[in-house]
Amino acid sequence: MKVLKFGGTSVGSVENLNKVFEIVKSQKKKNEALIVVCSALGGVTDQIISATNIAKSGEGDFEPEIKKIYKRHKDILKAFGIKDKIADEHLKVSFDKINSLLEGVQLLGQLPDHSLAHLVSFGERLSCYIIAEILNKKGVKTRFINASNLIKTDSNYLSARVDFETTDLNIQNEFAKFKDVAIVTGFIGSNRKGHITTLGRGGSDFTASIFAAALNVEEIQIWTDVNGVLTADPRKVDQAFTVPSLSYLEAMELSHFGAKVIYPPTIQPVLNKAIPLKIKNTSNPEHAGTSISLESVDDGNVIKGISSISNVTILRFEGSGLVGVIGMAARLFSALSQAEVNIIFLTQGSSEHSICFGVLPADAKKAKRSVEAAFSLEIKSGYIQPLIVEENKAIVAVIGERMHKQPGIAAKMFKALGKNGINISAIAQGSSELNITAVIDNKHEAKALNALHEIFFKSDYSSINLFIVGPSGLIGGTLLEQIKRQSQYLKAEKSIEINVTGLINSTKMLIDSNGIDLNNWESTFKKTSTKSDLQAFIDKINTLDFSNSVFVDCSASSTVVEYYEQILEKSISVVTPNKIANTLSQKKYDRLRQLAKKSGASFLYETNVGAGLPVISTLDALQNSGDKILKIEAVLSGSLSFIFNSFKGEKLFSDIVKEAQQKGYTEPDPRDDLSGLDVARKALILSREIGISKELGDFEVENLIPKQGRKGSVEEFFNVLKKNDKHFSELKAKAEKENKVLRYMAMIDRTEVKIGLQAVDSDHPFYQLSGSDNMIVFTSERYRSNPLVIKGPGAGAEVTAAGVFAEIISIGNYMEN
Ligand code: ADP
Ligand code: ASP
Ligand code: MG
């Protein structure tokens, strides 16, 4: 014999009822009963509750709501061609009863629990009645059974406790000779006096399990609207997927910590008899779903699922009176149990100085009152503090029986939460090691679940959410183009999904939490009318609270840089080619790093020096592996590199500068390059990276702009430069005489930094430089006689954007580290 249970959505529409029929028909064995437990039609329980609230308030009319429910049942019967008088009469009598009960509620202005239980019971009674009619009509012999006559409970009307002894006997007697299909109401029972009680919201699962255990069936199947138990709540974690198998204990933990797919009390009765339990999808019966049994099967994942309970209140019971005193915890729990407070979460520090527990918000006041009353003497004398109440918390739990004795799970969990800037207020792990739970702020719940899902179920992909400043600039635009081209590959091959969630420039901004379509981002951005407001943009990033949020500053603005601190503080990573932040004061430079370290966010700026060339990362790798940098010599300006690499033969210096300007190798005003300031900024970053604290003003920087040409227009500057050609030609001639070439370079050693023109001989790596390449030469303890050289294009939108892109991806890969 089997028990099948169909939830509200499974029986909510004509289409689904046809599927229910197919499933029931295919599972019915000749000469053997089949028990089919059904919920109310999807949404009906909520509708009845809302009608009772209207009635109780005395404001408004409950009738339209009730009429809607009536019509829904009637329409379904009609759709299956059932028009007989008996069915009509049954509906009519039931709805008359509902209306008269509601009138009573309205009259008294009160809604006692027993009335509410009675009213909501009509949901299941009506659905099961019509389902039995439908199956009969379709040729499957069925009997409607009102389980409230069989399941006996106490008088806790809205969440009643079952008297299993009587209930089991009742069920066994009822089905002793039964060989057909029974359509059994879920959710409801009755107390000794025969008054209807309910088993708690979602209780139809429990009904099915009570029947399964009483009849000791071969299997119980819970049919719902998802493909089994998923790794997380699919409404909160898009990437959740079906867990093929679970142990009873794992299923119990998952449901206790909020996985709505199974009502928590469901597991115990079937566990006692080791009856296999399956969770299946009514709309997708071919899918294997989830099998729940005694053993936790090794499917390669130690963690089976992640659950959460939103909105809990944490209470802290603290004081010196707790230390070493026997029986304090017992008194605490007995006070809570007398007040009928359910404890969801519990932890005690080993100092015994505090016990922290979590309850539903509705129980918080009761909990505080009862505990403070029980410890009134201790509180008066100061040994125990009045309870501290923290509201708006959420509990997240990772669950899996196989984590038992496996090290590193907690570390992984807390790393993921920390990386995403989620503060943990309390932690608990049951000694059975079935779960690790953490209490966090409610507002971070979704982010926490997604971050944990990414780290524990990497088999899918991790997503990175980008907020880009300067999308219309050269680097920003190129970056977006590169992301668009690469996104398919990254998802398929690297399991990384990149969502561009926000764009902002100096005039407008656009945020789309579902991700901006990169195929037409330009026209979408053009159409947006939201005025640029960087603070509002950042506030929005915070409220969205996505895991792996990255702020990408592709601007050259000093205003944007001012926001880095608050961004990093919120654990949002910053990736930028903008050099400004790293070239302000040493204090600011240190602060940014401290903030990133504290919040677990990344601050990445490889493209500050040498564009896409791996300069900063090489420095990091050398130093992290214990090498010491002794000297850095570098040609760091593509413009100056081009100018001096071309300054050969008869060519005049001013002509080469002009050519470089025309080819776009220099800034529109070449003085921005010739001043040496850009090189100095990069040199400053390099020196800070090797641990030398410097300010820009500390450097000797050779300015190549002749004094008279420093003011005035670009044209005037060229005129002055022409007059100085002789000076440059002489410098070149002198170098050539010694077989040397001129290079504008930065030299950084551990005592000084020099930036300027130097003549280098043919032994020097710079001698061979050509085009507009950058070259960086590291002399270190390891690379002393034969320095390490990095050479290549050090400017250009493509290579810079690619460098930024690579750093973004490195954030997506953080779990590997
Ligand atoms: P039914 O009406 O069939 O009893 P429920 O709404 O009570 O269905 O439970 C199914 C729902 O539970 C799913 O639609 C899903 O949104 C939610 N849910 C929450 N957590 C999980 C999880 N870990 N696995 C599957 N579903 C979950
Ligand atoms: N109809 C009840 C509810 O909505 C019971 C159930 O569906 O399991 O809570
Ligand atoms: Mg349910």
Side-chain angles (χ1 to χ4, degrees):
M1 202 194 296
K2 284 183 189 169
V3 171
L4 274 53
K5 179 259 168 177
F6 293 92
T9 47
S10 302
V11 296
S13 66
V14 173
E15 191 193 346
N16 283 353
L17 283 165
N18 275 318
K19 288 180 183 148
V20 170
F21 164 73
E22 294 298 335
I23 295 164
V24 169
K25 199 173 83 173
S26 71
Q27 303 224 24
K28 171 75 180 85
K29 288 187 192 150
K30 226 179 166 186
N31 290 326
E32 190 179 287
L34 181 67
I35 314 290
V36 179
V37 176
C38 295
S39 291
L41 305 188
V44 164
T45 311
D46 286 334
Q47 277 176 300
I48 299 178
I49 292 173
S50 109
T52 57
N53 286 331
I54 296 173
K56 181 183 162 196
S57 72
E59 285 161 22
D61 189 358
F62 58 77
E63 267 189 45
E65 200 69 33
I66 299 302
K67 272 202 182 121
K68 261 193 248 162
I69 307 175
Y70 173 73
K71 187 165 180 305
R72 188 151 161 221
H73 289 82
K74 182 101 182 142
D75 286 350
I76 288 178
L77 282 176
K78 224 198 269 166
F80 284 98
I82 300 166
K83 290 179 203 133
D84 66 273
K85 279 214 179 88
I86 304 172
D88 265 1
E89 192 55 29
H90 186 96
L91 282 198
K92 207 174 150 317
V93 170
S94 302
F95 279 94
D96 283 349
K97 180 81 191 157
I98 295 174
N99 279 318
S100 76
L101 280 167
L102 283 170
E103 274 157 24
V105 171
Q106 196 168 35
L107 214 65
L108 294 171
Q110 278 179 354
L111 180 61
D113 286 354
H114 66 85
S115 301
L116 181 57
H118 194 167
L119 274 157
V120 289
S121 76
F122 281 99
E124 271 63 15
R125 287 152 70 184
L126 286 161
S127 70
C128 290
Y129 176 79
I130 68 168
I131 294 164
E133 290 289 303
I134 293 165
L135 295 192
N136 268 324
K137 168 95 187 184
K138 281 172 128 348
V140 175
K141 197 163 173 231
T142 55
R143 192 201 299 171
F144 163 64
I145 288 180
N146 182 342
S148 67
N149 300 323
L150 305 175
I151 297 180
K152 297 312 280 184
T153 72
D154 67 6
S155 295
N156 192 355
Y157 287 94
L158 300 180
S159 190
R161 223 166 277 170
V162 176
D163 166 3
F164 279 98
E165 219 171 294
T166 321
T167 303
D168 286 357
L169 272 177
N170 288 347
I171 295 173
Q172 285 152 7
N173 289 337
E174 179 80 20
F175 291 100
K177 295 199 181 88
F178 191 78
K179 298 265 183 304
D180 298 324
V181 174
I183 305 292
V184 179
T185 56
F187 184 46
I188 56 176
S190 63
N191 66 6
R192 269 217 220 139
K193 288 189 212 149
H195 295 160
I196 289 192
T197 58
T198 72
L199 304 177
R201 290 304 306 267
S204 299
D205 298 342
F206 190 24
T207 305
S209 152
I210 294 167
F211 274 72
L215 299 169
N216 204 2
V217 298
E218 65 189 89
E219 181 174 286
I220 164 171
Q221 301 171 2
I222 291 186
W223 291 82
T224 182
D225 59 350
V226 282
N227 289 333
V229 179
L230 309 187
T231 45
D233 186 338
R235 294 164 299 183
K236 293 174 186 152
V237 179
D238 283 346
Q239 298 173 28
F241 55 88
T242 304
V243 186
S245 63
L246 286 171
S247 70
Y248 293 118
L249 294 181
E250 287 168 336
M252 196 136 57
E253 294 282 302
L254 272 168
S255 66
H256 172 75
F257 285 108
K260 189 184 171 219
V261 65
I262 312 170
Y263 182 52
T266 308
I267 305 293
Q268 195 64 50
V270 288
L271 182 157
N272 293 343
K273 301 239 165 114
I275 300 169
L277 167 61
K278 277 197 179 133
I279 312 288
K280 302 262 300 173
N281 189 346
T282 307
S283 297
N284 187 12
E286 294 76 34
H287 193 286
T290 302
S291 297
I292 301 170
S293 59
L294 279 173
E295 287 293 310
S296 168
V297 178
D298 184 1
D299 61 5
N301 272 325
V302 177
I303 297 303
K304 290 297 177 84
I306 297 158
S307 283
S308 64
I309 310 176
S310 342
N311 239 330
V312 290
T313 301
I314 297 295
L315 293 104
R316 291 182 195 280
F317 177 63
E318 294 178 353
S320 58
L322 278 174
V323 185
V325 183
I326 291 168
M328 296 298 262
R331 278 173 61 200
L332 170 74
F333 298 133
S334 110
L336 290 169
S337 123
Q338 270 167 23
E340 296 193 335
V341 171
N342 182 31
I343 302 170
I344 313 172
F345 168 93
L346 177 69
T347 163
Q348 176 178 28
S350 59
S351 69
E352 293 182 54
H353 183 263
S354 103
I355 297 176
C356 161
F357 59 97
V359 301
L360 290 176
D363 285 343
K365 266 203 187 119
K366 211 161 52 168
K368 184 172 163 67
R369 223 182 300 125
S370 63
V371 173
E372 286 177 359
F375 290 90
S376 60
L377 284 179
E378 285 90 343
I379 291 176
K380 225 182 230 162
S381 51
Y383 288 122
I384 302 273
Q385 310 307 318
L387 252 62
I388 301 164
V389 180
E390 290 177 33
E391 290 172 331
N392 300 322
K393 297 285 177 189
I395 293 176
V396 289
V398 301
I399 288 144
E401 214 170 306
R402 305 183 82 81
M403 76 165 95
H404 183 62
K405 296 211 165 75
Q406 165 125 357
I409 306 287
K412 221 168 157 180
M413 174 174 183
F414 302 136
K415 180 179 170 190
L417 295 177
K419 268 268 173 199
N420 281 286
I422 300 166
N423 183 46
I424 301 171
S425 357
I427 298 167
Q429 175 175 36
S431 58
S432 58
E433 293 187 54
L434 259 167
N435 74 61
I436 305 173
T437 41
V439 177
I440 59 169
D441 280 349
N442 215 11
K443 61 177 186 213
H444 290 315
E445 184 193 357
K447 177 156 93 168
L449 289 174
N450 281 285
L452 292 173
H453 198 271
E454 266 173 28
I455 204 154
F456 285 113
F457 300 106
K458 262 192 294 194
S459 52
D460 230 330
Y461 50 89
S462 64
S463 44
I464 308 177
N465 297 288
L466 301 186
F467 298 85
I468 301 179
V469 186
S472 335
L474 205 55
I475 297 175
T478 312
L479 175 66
L480 284 163
E481 190 54 40
Q482 291 178 353
I483 295 172
K484 187 174 89 186
R485 275 202 311 264
Q486 262 327 83
S487 61
Q488 275 307 89
Y489 166 83
L490 282 173
K491 197 162 172 184
E493 301 294 325
K494 300 280 167 193
S495 305
I496 294 176
E497 182 182 57
I498 301 204
N499 300 316
V500 175
T501 315
L503 298 174
I504 185 168
N505 66 13
S506 54
T507 55
K508 44 173 72 179
M509 62 185 193
L510 169 69
I511 290 192
D512 183 343
S513 57
N514 296 318
I516 297 161
D517 182 358
L518 291 190
N519 290 311
N520 45 26
W521 73 266
E522 273 163 310
S523 62
T524 321
F525 193 55
K526 219 178 244 166
K527 273 186 234 144
T528 181
S529 55
T530 317
K531 272 213 181 115
S532 174
D533 177 344
L534 206 48
Q535 187 59 55
F537 189 76
I538 293 162
D539 291 346
K540 185 72 191 176
I541 306 177
N542 286 329
T543 21
L544 282 175
D545 210 22
F546 285 149
S547 56
N548 296 337
S549 293
V550 184
F551 183 84
V552 186
D553 177 13
C554 294
S555 77
S557 146
S558 52
T559 322
V560 179
V561 164
E562 284 167 23
Y563 291 85
Y564 287 6
E565 286 194 9
Q566 56 159 303
I567 296 168
L568 288 169
E569 225 162 11
K570 295 276 186 204
S571 298
I572 295 160
S573 297
V574 175
V575 177
T576 185
N578 184 343
K579 284 189 280 293
I580 296 175
N582 283 330
T583 52
L584 296 171
S585 67
Q586 177 76 39
K587 206 168 141 208
K588 176 101 181 162
Y589 175 94
D590 293 338
R591 172 129 184 92
L592 288 171
R593 275 141 195 87
Q594 278 159 9
L595 283 173
K597 197 169 165 193
K598 195 166 150 219
S599 71
S602 302
F603 175 42
L604 303 174
Y605 45 86
E606 175 67 88
T607 47
N608 278 192
V609 181
L613 297 176
V615 180
I616 309 274
S617 50
T618 304
L619 264 183
D620 261 2
L622 290 175
Q623 298 186 113
N624 289 344
S625 62
D627 202 356
K628 183 174 178 190
I629 308 293
L630 303 173
K631 187 164 80 171
I632 303 173
E633 291 162 291
V635 169
L636 294 168
S637 155
S639 335
L640 295 178
S641 179
F642 176 82
I643 290 169
F644 287 101
N645 298 344
S646 315
F647 191 30
K648 315 186 241 217
E650 295 308 306
K651 283 188 181 169
L652 290 175
F653 188 70
S654 60
D655 287 341
I656 292 168
V657 175
K658 188 91 211 162
E659 184 192 339
Q661 184 210 29
Q662 279 162 355
K663 285 189 166 157
Y665 284 136
T666 67
E667 295 295 321
D669 184 343
R671 284 174 291 189
D672 291 345
D673 300 299
L674 291 171
S675 72
L677 197 61
D678 183 57
V679 175
R681 286 211 173 99
K682 291 172 183 166
L684 178 65
I685 297 173
L686 288 179
S687 64
R688 286 176 174 174
E689 290 295 306
I690 61 170
I692 302 171
S693 294
K694 287 270 186 232
E695 301 295 346
L696 204 55
D698 298 341
F699 292 174
E700 242 178 74
V701 183
E702 184 177 346
N703 187 340
L704 294 179
I705 315 166
K707 276 217 175 75
Q708 301 88 327
R710 291 186 187 168
K711 286 196 184 113
S713 69
V714 178
E715 219 182 307
E716 282 162 341
F717 152 71
F718 269 112
N719 288 334
V720 174
L721 195 63
K722 266 199 180 73
K723 286 188 197 140
N724 282 269
D725 271 335
K726 194 165 159 252
H727 162 71
F728 287 103
S729 296
E730 277 170 13
L731 285 176
K732 185 182 68 173
K734 183 168 175 260
E736 277 172 356
K737 215 185 220 164
E738 296 166 17
N739 256 338
K740 290 181 175 172
V741 291
L742 293 176
R743 298 290 181 251
Y744 191 89
M745 58 190 270
M747 196 287 299
I748 301 155
D749 68 17
R750 301 209 76 88
T751 52
E752 60 172 351
V753 175
K754 275 199 277 186
I755 293 148
L757 210 48
Q758 291 214 23
V760 297
D761 62 27
S762 59
D763 287 344
H764 198 282
F766 292 164
Y767 190 87
Q768 300 296 351
L769 262 175
S770 63
S772 62
D773 278 356
N774 278 198
M775 189 184 271
I776 298 96
V777 179
F778 295 125
T779 307
S780 69
E781 276 175 355
R782 261 184 229 144
Y783 292 91
R784 199 188 279 267
S785 52
N786 198 3
L788 179 70
V789 177
I790 297 170
K791 174 177 164 276
E798 276 294 331
V799 287
T800 308
V804 173
F805 196 7
E807 294 199 304
I808 291 170
I809 293 165
S810 75
I811 292 176
N813 280 333
Y814 77 85
M815 298 91 105
E816 312 288 342
N817 308 324

